[in-house]
Amino acid sequence: MAERNDGAGRGRVLVVGGGPVGLSLAIELGWRGVPVTLVDQGDGRVPFPAGEAIFSRTMEHLRRWGCSEEARGRSAPPPDYPHRILFTTSVTGHVLTEFDYGVTNRSPGEYGGLTPEGPAFLSKFEFLPLLERTARAQPGVEIRYGTRLESFDQDQNGVRAVLLDVASGEVQTLTAAYLVGCDGGRSSVRRSLGVEFEGVFAQGQNYAVHFRAPALLDLLRERTGGPAAQIQTLSSTRRPYITVVNGVDEWRLSVYLDQKEDPGRSAAVAWIHEAVGAPIDVEILAAQPWSGHRVVARRYRQGRVFLAGDAAHLLWPKGGFGANTGIGDAVDLGWKLAATLQGWGGSALLDSYEAERRPIAVRNVSEASSNWTSDAQLAPDPVLDRADSEGARARTEMGALIRRLRGREFRSIGVQLGYRYAGSPICVPDGSPEPPDEPDAYVPSTWPGCRAPHVELPDGGSILDRFGRGFVLVVSGASEPSPLVAAAGELGVPLRVVHLDEPEAARVYERPLVLVRPDGHVGWRGEEAPADPVELLDRLRGAAHDQAATGTDGAAPPDAVGQA
């Protein structure tokens, strides 16, 4: 067995899983100067398109990583393809209602003014290769496909992983400081740790089909007034809905099934015809059953091993929360691992990962399941296709019901930008009431734990572009930042000062001093510098507790570290 310990092993992070979450974590760590080895037993190819909805917050992370413009400019669907959601009896039938907020991959639509990066709709065939290219461009990032994690053990000094080269059968041992399981719902890392999911599995059975239909886009233009990102139909109890893949001729169909089954490609063609309302030419490219879940891992960490993405939570794809929630995990964990390995993060910093991200997973898993429950209340009715006044009345009533039941799923700006780390051990509350947390509404806030709001700077850029490398102290008015700057220098904590001179920008930031963390979330705010700025910074960097309990590198005490 080959042993790999190149001297950087103790400062290296091993990421297991090469999906969007694993690649995002590799990018985040590499961007922060942390060496990473990512392993995945696959070959890097995308077998099936899914997860096209890329949240505005995720695009803000891509902006920081330097690849958001590439994502939008080389996108499939094309940059000007509308993010329009249609509800119809069928494509060639009647339009019942639609949700269109003026968003395309090129235009933020109604998100403009709240963020420099509106949502995107990107085929997984485009998104994953983009993340891989971005990861490989980071110094110190190594990606090894065709490599399977066989086992691992850990102690207070690091993690020792046994890796198998799938093609050659060669076995190698790699030493790392930390291991992160981003290896999906059947995570071998989670199983090795003995961590269980909590919640409800298989709430519903479904079937998805990737297909090519060259005539469908023209039919949409002719019968519904233009292209659409998704077409939800009420043509039958299966409720077939179609999602755009490349914006030209590739699409994805999903249907509800009564039980778990693989009905075959002939049934898939019939369902496509049913959703379209016409027997168009169809080529089936791939098909697979899938289930909707509502589960979250009981724990996100054991010693030096962490869980992220689908390894930590599984949810209904109702709202596009899955990969976006996982990428949020990667960003939160990434800066904390970097701070710990670089010596300025405190012993309790890594403990805050679960404290912050698990409640967000519970929130998003519940919201996605609620969207599924709301959708289940829409019942097909033959009257909807009638050409008489009774049909017109039924369509009007159904359109109103759809808007009431489904509207917040397709205007999820609160889910995208409004999540916050309430109760976080590394955020300092100021006694003010928590702002509303609504899935379909977002009001910018610097309440500690919230995403620091976007404001435009005099040079035309966003203040978000100033965040990321370390802490940023946003100063407005005549407030004096020097006590916090001096304390950061004393502690070795990276901190820079950004001044807001525009009255409107200062109004958005609500307090004269706002301390923003490396992940762009507010850690503290105040009218003036605190009496003990060292104590404040120790709280924000996870050093407010007894460091002797866990050691300065953030590892759990020896008797709390499990073997796998």
Side-chain angles (χ1 to χ4, degrees):
M1 180 186 298
E3 180 86 21
R4 175 178 173 181
N5 188 348
D6 55 11
R10 295 298 180 185
R12 179 175 297 274
V13 176
L14 175 60
V15 177
V16 182
V21 177
L23 288 168
S24 293
L25 179 57
I27 296 169
E28 183 71 20
L29 290 168
W31 188 81
R32 296 186 181 281
V34 175
V36 183
T37 295
L38 182 151
V39 299
D40 189 287
Q41 64 182 343
D43 58 8
R45 290 184 294 182
V46 180
F48 197 86
E52 297 88 356
I54 310 301
F55 281 180
S56 189
R57 183 61 173 148
T58 299
M59 292 302 297
E60 291 176 354
H61 298 317
L62 266 64
R63 180 187 181 93
R64 179 165 52 84
W65 299 334
C67 59
S68 62
E69 288 188 12
E70 182 182 358
R72 296 185 188 283
R74 299 179 53 176
S75 64
D80 292 323
Y81 196 95
H83 297 188
R84 178 184 178 224
I85 307 297
L86 281 174
F87 279 78
T88 69
T89 55
S90 67
V91 173
T92 57
H94 296 274
V95 173
L96 301 170
T97 195
E98 64 179 82
F99 300 93
D100 188 354
Y101 301 105
V103 179
T104 68
N105 285 355
R106 195 189 302 275
S107 170
E110 291 193 8
Y111 288 72
L114 296 173
T115 172
E117 298 285 346
F121 210 85
L122 300 173
S123 165
K124 201 171 183 178
F125 295 133
E126 297 281 341
F127 188 51
L128 239 59
L130 169 70
L131 293 179
E132 182 186 344
R133 290 193 300 273
T134 305
R136 290 188 185 278
Q138 307 301 318
V141 172
E142 174 191 33
I143 297 177
R144 297 169 58 182
Y145 291 117
T147 302
R148 184 169 68 231
L149 175 69
E150 293 289 275
S151 63
F152 63 88
D153 59 68
Q154 60 172 313
D155 58 28
Q156 59 187 350
N157 296 313
V159 179
R160 189 169 177 269
V162 177
L163 307 175
L164 172 71
D165 185 295
V166 175
S168 69
E170 178 186 355
V171 176
Q172 182 185 73
T173 298
L174 185 142
T175 300
Y178 298 97
L179 183 153
V180 185
C182 305
D183 49 342
R186 295 186 174 92
S187 171
S188 65
V189 175
R190 190 189 68 252
R191 292 199 303 270
S192 294
L193 294 175
V195 175
E196 301 291 335
F197 274 134
E198 292 180 334
V200 181
F201 285 97
Q203 285 185 305
Q205 307 301 329
N206 312 267
Y207 197 74
V209 183
H210 177 206
F211 67 97
R212 180 176 289 114
L216 183 51
L217 187 58
D218 285 339
L219 273 177
L220 278 172
R221 291 191 178 104
E222 293 169 7
R223 304 303 291 265
T224 72
Q230 192 171 88
I231 310 99
Q232 305 243 0
T233 78
L234 273 76
S235 59
S236 75
T237 55
R238 283 180 291 267
R239 296 287 315 286
Y241 63 93
I242 296 172
T243 304
V244 67
V245 172
N246 67 356
V248 180
D249 61 351
E250 290 186 31
W251 309 83
R252 189 180 77 248
L253 175 99
S254 290
V255 296
Y256 296 125
L257 300 179
D258 293 331
Q259 58 186 0
K260 192 171 184 178
E261 59 178 314
D262 189 343
R265 297 196 173 200
S266 59
V269 171
W271 291 335
I272 295 166
H273 289 168
E274 177 185 303
V276 174
I280 61 172
D281 289 337
V282 172
E283 177 188 359
I284 304 297
L285 303 174
Q288 61 184 37
W290 61 274
S291 298
H293 308 290
R294 182 182 180 175
V295 295
V296 178
R298 290 179 179 172
R299 300 195 314 277
Y300 276 31
R301 178 191 185 188
Q302 183 168 309
R304 291 178 170 269
V305 182
F306 299 82
L307 302 174
D310 284 358
H313 40 74
L314 292 171
L315 61 167
W316 273 91
K318 289 293 185 185
F321 304 160
N324 292 287
T325 304
I327 292 171
D329 296 342
V331 170
D332 187 89
L333 180 58
W335 81 265
K336 293 170 181 177
L337 285 170
T340 301
L341 290 167
Q342 291 162 1
W344 59 268
S347 62
L349 184 60
L350 291 176
D351 289 333
S352 70
Y353 167 61
E354 178 179 322
E356 291 189 342
R357 291 305 302 175
R358 192 175 187 277
I360 302 303
V362 171
R363 165 192 188 256
N364 290 358
V365 163
S366 298
E367 181 64 19
S369 182
S370 176
N371 289 339
W372 168 68
T373 301
S374 294
D375 186 56
Q377 297 179 51
L378 302 178
D381 186 343
V383 175
L384 293 170
D385 267 317
R386 282 170 46 173
D388 58 14
S389 59
E390 184 66 16
R393 181 194 58 78
R395 290 190 290 273
T396 298
E397 292 176 354
M398 179 59 75
L401 180 64
I402 292 168
R403 289 190 294 275
R404 179 169 62 82
L405 292 176
R406 304 296 308 281
R408 72 186 200 176
E409 175 181 341
F410 302 111
R411 196 179 189 277
S412 59
I413 191 168
V415 174
Q416 298 191 39
L417 298 177
Y419 66 93
R420 73 290 305 267
Y421 299 134
S424 167
I426 61 166
C427 290
V428 181
D430 64 356
S432 61
E434 182 176 355
D437 182 13
E438 299 295 339
D440 55 350
Y442 168 68
V443 177
S445 176
T446 56
W447 189 80
C450 286
R451 161 193 171 270
H454 157 71
V455 292
E456 188 173 309
L457 299 176
D459 63 4
S462 170
I463 195 172
L464 271 58
D465 296 332
R466 306 293 179 92
F467 304 153
R469 293 295 182 185
F471 284 91
V472 173
L473 183 60
V474 181
V475 181
S476 56
S479 299
E480 180 52 60
S482 58
L484 280 163
V485 173
E490 177 185 335
L491 296 170
V493 174
L495 184 146
R496 63 180 298 197
V497 175
V498 172
H499 289 274
L500 288 183
D501 299 321
E502 298 295 322
E504 178 59 24
R507 184 195 65 78
V508 172
Y509 266 70
E510 300 177 298
R511 300 290 190 278
L513 296 175
V514 177
L515 194 52
V516 180
R517 310 183 327 182
D519 62 346
H521 284 256
V522 175
W524 168 88
R525 65 180 181 177
E527 299 291 335
E528 59 185 8
D532 190 341
V534 169
E535 181 182 22
L536 170 65
L537 287 173
D538 275 348
R539 170 83 174 266
L540 297 181
R541 68 189 183 97
H545 304 289
D546 182 5
Q547 293 193 14
T550 58
T552 57
D553 64 355
D559 62 354
V561 176
Q563 300 285 320

